[in-house]
Amino acid sequence: MADSVTDCVVVGGGLAGFAAALTAAEAGAQVTLIEKLAEFGGSSAICGGSFAFAGTDLQRASGIEDSSDLLFKDLREVGENENDERVVRAYVTHQHATYEWLRRQGVPFAPVIMASSGQSVPRSHQVDPADMMRLLARRAADNPLITLLRSTRVRRLVRSESGRVEAVQAENSGGTFTLTARRGIVLASGGFNQDAELVHRFAPICDNAVFVGGKGNTGDGLRMAWRLGADFRDVSFIKGTFGKHPIDETNDHSCLAVYKGAIAVNEAGRRYVDESISYKLLGDACLRQANGVTYQIFDQDVFDLGDNRLPIMDFERRFEHGLIVKADTLEQLARLLELPVDAVVATVAEYNGFVDAGHDPQFNRKNLVHHHGELRRIERAPFYACPSTAAVYGTYCGLCVDADMRVIDVFGEPIEGLYAAGEIVGGLHGAAYMTGSSLGKSGIFGRIAGRSAAAASER
């Protein structure tokens, strides 16, 4: 392929990349989007499909009161204030407009029905992620200002003599070529959960976790920006998501019965954590237990609260696949799991006593999830258990950016001409994670990055 020139280059064909490309094109920029795999979509196409939006018409239709202020408060609180306030503010400021933009693209959202990790009120706006990515790819393919390249790998970022990032070096079956960007380059190349060496370097606690995610998430963009002096955020907070069955290879998503009322017990048959906290923190707690495997224990009432519209709450399908164990009594359930019978029975009885008393002196659990939902007893047979470990679905950390998604170097200065969006960006999540904020930041930050790159002066 011959060398060429365009206005903006977008590296990565997931939600962040397509949001950036479509938004830059809306601003009149000529865009080339480069995807290293043969298919578009990346991790966005295989994720749980939840967006964390606040103050939407779908929430109001369900009688849910939410606001940007509450969303900001929750994001900061869940992140233990380790996240970058300006990045969190950028998310909150642009979240509702991104929701409306996705709807204008034709993306349908299901009704908002439940609160999940880190949410004080229900705010998970659900989509079919694969359908969404196919739709956005078609939108981009039909736009005369956008050129799409697949099976093409970007190897290096190229700086001009002035220090501005002005081009990418890439290769495909046609050979190696240089693509120059007059205005800006957006890195939307995802995380690095498919690179064991990088994960071990930053988060050795995850060495024994299960790894699930886009095949292209090998840290290409991170390394290229790193070479130019880019700073990082949140790398010490890489975490696995609790609830993944330790040996199942057919279901990519975690099961989170704890958010409907289950408790989590270890191989000693004892609780070890406040089950209402972020499933990232639950993942850490799980990996610290013997063999990194624990068990979500619940009763028929909790099982009946499952919802097959949400992968993380689809208990029935997991039971049909043999991933959830069922027994008539707690004693029988403990024997099937090879857990200490007396300990399991005593743990459930003790927990039920905490529920009745309205206080959990062991772990101070107050709600089902974050600040939402009243605790319930585990008492109606039959009883169920879901063996669970932590799975690294994404690395949720990465490049330091400002509110305009400009990549910031280790001296706190923007790297001219370079922007980032999606999973490669650090600073939003901090110490933990709110359900829907990863897909949310891909759409929100992708649009910001695309707009910023398109608005940059031509060089």
Side-chain angles (χ1 to χ4, degrees), residues 189-213:
S189 52
F192 53 91
N193 69 327
Q194 297 297 326
D195 188 304
E197 187 275 330
L198 273 181
V199 171
H200 178 76
R201 177 179 297 188
F202 295 127
I205 190 176
C206 293
D207 283 350
N208 295 322
V210 177
F211 290 86
V212 181

Side-chain angles (χ1 to χ4, degrees), residues 347-359 377:
T347 294
V348 173
E350 186 176 50
Y351 178 77
N352 286 341
F354 297 159
V355 174
D356 294 341
H359 176 56
R377 290 170 58 89

Side-chain angles (χ1 to χ4, degrees), residues 22 135-146 148:
L22 288 164
L135 171 65
L136 295 179
R138 288 196 300 271
R139 291 281 192 191
D142 292 340
N143 192 313
L145 289 175
I146 299 176
L148 301 177

Side-chain angles (χ1 to χ4, degrees), residues 228-426:
L228 301 186
D231 201 0
F232 295 166
R233 285 296 301 251
D234 299 343
V235 292
S236 62
F237 300 119
I238 298 170
K239 301 178 185 302
T241 296
F242 178 68
K244 180 73 171 68
H245 195 283
I247 62 173
D248 174 52
E249 297 182 356
T250 61
N251 295 274
D252 287 337
H253 304 291
S254 289
C255 175
L256 289 165
V258 288
Y259 290 164
K260 289 295 188 181
I263 59 173
V265 306
N266 57 24
E267 291 186 352
R270 307 301 299 182
R271 289 176 68 217
Y272 59 91
V273 71
D274 169 6
E275 294 90 348
S276 73
I277 62 177
S278 167
Y279 46 55
K280 296 298 177 184
L281 300 178
L282 289 175
D284 272 359
C286 175
L287 290 175
R288 287 194 290 266
Q289 304 306 303
N291 298 313
V293 175
T294 62
Y295 304 86
Q296 298 180 67
I297 292 180
F298 50 106
D299 66 359
Q300 187 64 46
D301 287 339
V302 172
F303 186 89
D304 290 343
L305 292 171
D307 192 326
N308 60 15
R309 294 172 295 179
L310 298 174
I312 61 174
M313 295 296 170
D314 193 349
F315 307 150
E316 186 173 349
R317 181 169 63 90
R318 286 181 173 85
F319 176 70
E320 292 172 351
H321 289 180
L323 304 177
I324 291 180
V325 179
K326 177 181 178 181
D328 293 331
T329 66
L330 285 171
E331 290 86 351
Q332 182 185 14
L333 186 69
R335 293 188 186 97
L336 290 172
L337 299 173
E338 298 184 351
L339 298 180
V341 174
D342 291 345
V344 170
V345 173
T347 294
V348 173
E350 186 176 50
Y351 178 77
N352 286 341
F354 297 159
V355 174
D356 294 341
H359 176 56
D360 171 11
Q362 280 190 326
F363 300 103
N364 200 33
R365 184 180 190 181
K366 298 177 180 178
N367 297 98
L368 295 181
V369 52
H370 200 47
H371 300 312
H372 180 80
E374 294 185 4
L375 301 183
R376 51 175 53 93
R377 290 170 58 89
I378 298 171
E379 60 184 352
R380 185 162 77 92
F383 298 94
Y384 300 85
C386 182
S388 301
T389 187
V392 179
Y393 293 102
T395 36
Y396 305 103
C397 67
L399 303 177
C400 185
V401 297
D402 65 11
D404 295 319
M405 299 301 119
R406 297 184 299 175
V407 177
I408 305 301
D409 71 14
V410 294
F411 295 107
E413 298 294 330
I415 299 176
E416 189 179 0
L418 188 62
Y419 306 83
E423 191 181 343
I424 195 174
V425 168

